Amino acid sequence: MKVAVLSSVSEGTPWASMTSAVTADYCRRHGYTFIARSLPYVEAVADFRFWGSLLGTFDALWCLDADAVITNHTRRLEDLPLRPGM
């Protein structure tokens, strides 16, 4: 499965350098692609054309804000249980 992890690192997020490094490490560990976009937050979350272009290349997108920290680097996204209806 080809997975991209997409993060918005807009202005005013001083913690983005730390969280982006953690996310990039997680992606390297599992063979995922990490994409960090430096756009104003409103533009980054509303850019459906960009997201759609990624779906032509990747099987799954995981979109995180810069304030999200991945704490368990041993679990792959494909192994996470999904609730019915998701």
Side-chain angles (χ1 to χ4, degrees):
M1 176 182 268
K2 289 182 67 174
V3 175
V5 179
L6 178 63
S7 183
S8 171
V9 293
S10 54
E11 294 287 324
T13 53
W15 50 85
S17 61
M18 186 275 298
T19 58
S20 293
V22 171
T23 303
D25 180 59
Y26 176 81
C27 290
R28 273 191 298 277
R29 176 183 295 254
H30 296 293
Y32 302 150
T33 299
F34 176 56
I35 302 168
R37 297 188 79 203
S38 181
L39 293 172
Y41 182 77
V42 172
E43 289 179 37
V45 299
D47 193 355
F48 295 109
R49 179 170 287 176
F50 177 74
W51 292 15
S53 71
L54 293 176
L55 288 173
T57 303
F58 298 98
D59 300 310
L61 296 178
W62 186 19
C63 301
L64 300 173
D65 287 342
D67 60 353
V69 179
I70 301 169
T71 57
N72 184 344
H73 284 221
T74 62
R75 299 283 304 263
R76 296 179 59 82
L77 291 175
E78 298 92 328
D79 299 335
L80 296 175
L82 295 177
R83 294 181 302 181
M86 291 185 77

